[in-house]
Amino acid sequence: MSSYASRGSSHGGVLHEYAPKLVAFEFTPPTEGINKTNSLIFVGGLTDGLCTVPYVSKLAKALENTEWSLFSVLLSSSYSGWGVGSLDRDVEELGQCVRFIRDLKASRQPGALTKAAKIAIMGHSTGSQDVLHYLYSPNPVPHKEFEFGLQHLVRPDLDGAILQAPASDREGLQAIIESSSQPDELRKVYDQLVGSAKEQTYTADKSDAILPMNLTAKLSYPPDTPLSARRFLSLVSPESPENPSEDDLFSSDLSDKRLQETFGVVGTQDIINSKLLFLYSGEDEYCPHWVDKEKLLQRWQQAIVAGGAKWDAENSGVIPGASHNVHDQGQQDLIDRVLRYLQTL
């Protein structure tokens, strides 16, 4: 899901190149930051980039008097890259960022115990899909024919994981179509795109086939963003709920069996030993009205715990009044929950 971008502000910090052509921005006040031991890596959603999610800079400010510094990471899928991206590529790049930050913090404090430094990842919106994919998918990610350039590296372990606004892209699109003034026309566009995407997912040379942008724009996707047939099918998951796609992790109609295969696998992957924090926005505009947010969180919690992982029951929950990216109401509540969670790691 995409986010609202704030404008007219500037932020002090350090821009790090953690891999070729990939950067992470570290919010660091002039007199602080460099000696902070722990790191929180923030991952945005579809169309997001540096400082596009409004609460991030306020979260960085709230962390100034703690042992945590905040990094906002850019992936290949940031800004307009999501249309030809994948969760596999995202988590591999996140793994590279985690390695870089561990080495960076160790170099800043020579002689200190590297294991004392903690790293947590916080995903917003589709960034939450990245976080869950990082925790439950095979490590390293398996080879796929379309994934050119992936190194298939083992992902490093984490000390914490936060999922904020984990809304379903599939259900979000359903809500857009149903609330439209011309739902029948949009359904025809949807059906046309699904048919085209299934008919030609790849070109003759095994590259991604790109869908007509004038049609994807009618479904509220950015009109200037190329969207591949492969990623479109993953986001809208037309075979769900019986056969959900890779991106369809948070839909309310997924079976308990499917939740066991995703949430329930986190505890067996041995990537994280701490509790997981889930923060759902109470007034998330991308969450359809028929979704019972509290019940959905309870199902996720049951799957997490049944699989042997831990759930932060004290701080997880629905943030009253919060929009998808918490651009106004609920910001302090969100920040307080994150700070309390980090203190427990």
Side-chain angles (χ1 to χ4, degrees):
M1 290 297 174
S2 60
S3 292
Y4 165 88
S6 59
R7 295 179 174 84
S9 58
S10 58
H11 310 281
V14 179
L15 190 67
H16 304 276
E17 185 179 29
Y18 68 88
K21 299 182 181 180
L22 298 174
V23 298
F25 180 77
E26 180 183 12
F27 292 83
T28 54
T31 58
E32 300 178 22
I34 195 167
N35 293 320
K36 285 176 175 272
T37 303
N38 305 325
S39 308
L40 176 62
I41 302 174
F42 179 82
V43 189
L46 301 187
T47 78
D48 279 323
L50 296 179
C51 302
T52 58
V53 179
Y55 65 76
V56 173
S57 59
K58 294 183 180 180
L59 176 58
K61 181 71 175 177
L63 291 172
E64 284 184 2
N65 294 323
T66 73
E67 286 300 311
W68 291 85
S69 56
L70 180 64
F71 291 78
S72 182
V73 63
L74 281 187
L75 307 173
S76 297
S77 60
S78 298
Y79 297 119
S80 298
W82 61 270
V84 293
S86 71
L87 297 185
D88 280 355
R89 184 176 296 278
D90 285 355
V91 300
E92 180 150 307
E93 291 175 358
L94 281 171
Q96 291 177 289
C97 188
V98 171
R99 289 188 200 89
F100 173 86
I101 292 175
R102 285 201 193 282
D103 292 342
L104 175 70
K105 290 300 179 79
S107 68
R108 287 175 174 177
Q109 301 183 45
L113 291 176
T114 304
K115 290 186 178 180
K118 297 180 176 63
I119 294 185
I121 295 182
M122 178 176 183
H124 159 71
S125 191
T126 308
S128 294
Q129 286 158 225
D130 286 334
V131 173
L132 184 57
H133 197 73
Y134 192 105
L135 297 177
Y136 94 86
S137 61
N139 190 16
V141 294
H143 174 78
K144 294 179 181 177
E145 193 171 14
F146 66 87
E147 292 284 15
F148 302 109
L150 257 69
Q151 302 176 55
H152 304 282
L153 302 173
V154 174
R155 300 187 299 281
D157 60 358
L158 301 172
D159 299 286
I162 304 171
L163 294 85
Q164 187 269 316
S168 163
D169 288 279
R170 172 168 65 89
E171 290 185 329
L173 180 57
Q174 290 176 1
I176 289 174
I177 292 175
E178 291 191 10
S179 63
S180 167
S181 59
Q182 298 177 308
D184 292 339
E185 179 182 341
L186 288 190
R187 287 192 190 96
K188 290 180 181 178
V189 173
Y190 170 84
D191 291 339
Q192 181 180 349
L193 286 170
V194 169
S196 298
K198 287 183 175 181
E199 182 178 351
Q200 186 178 16
T201 308
Y202 303 102
T203 63
D205 63 354
K206 302 299 182 182
S207 298
D208 272 323
I210 303 299
L211 296 173
M213 294 167 66
N214 64 313
L215 294 182
T216 57
K218 290 183 178 181
L219 296 183
S220 298
Y221 292 113
D224 58 348
T225 300
L227 178 55
S228 72
R230 170 188 52 80
R231 190 69 197 271
F232 174 74
L233 291 175
S234 186
L235 291 169
V236 306
S237 192
E239 307 302 324
S240 286
E242 290 79 11
N243 185 26
S245 67
E246 182 176 84
D247 270 282
D248 193 9
L249 295 171
F250 303 129
S251 295
S252 62
D253 59 358
L254 296 177
S255 67
D256 290 340
K257 179 177 181 295
R258 173 59 175 169
L259 298 187
Q260 293 167 5
E261 295 168 349
T262 55
F263 292 84
V265 177
V266 172
T268 65
Q269 288 292 72
D270 201 27
I271 292 179
I272 186 171
N273 293 316
S274 66
K275 303 174 184 177
L276 276 69
L277 176 64
F278 283 75
L279 301 172
Y280 213 116
S281 295
E283 300 298 326
D284 194 320
E285 60 271 29
Y286 294 109
C287 178
H289 63 84
W290 64 80
V291 174
D292 186 331
K293 303 179 183 70
E294 295 283 0
K295 182 179 179 180
L296 188 57
L297 285 176
Q298 290 174 4
R299 293 186 64 211
W300 294 349
Q301 179 179 4
Q302 291 171 356
I304 286 283
V305 174
K310 303 173 185 176
W311 177 281
D312 187 347
E314 179 182 355
N315 297 303
S316 294
V318 178
I319 301 178
S323 64
H324 183 65
N325 62 6
V326 201
H327 61 77
D328 189 8
Q329 187 173 343
Q331 278 194 358
Q332 193 57 52
D333 189 358
L334 179 147
I335 291 172
D336 289 344
R337 291 172 188 253
V338 171
L339 264 60
R340 290 197 301 265
Y341 170 75
L342 294 178
Q343 290 172 356
T344 68
L345 298 183

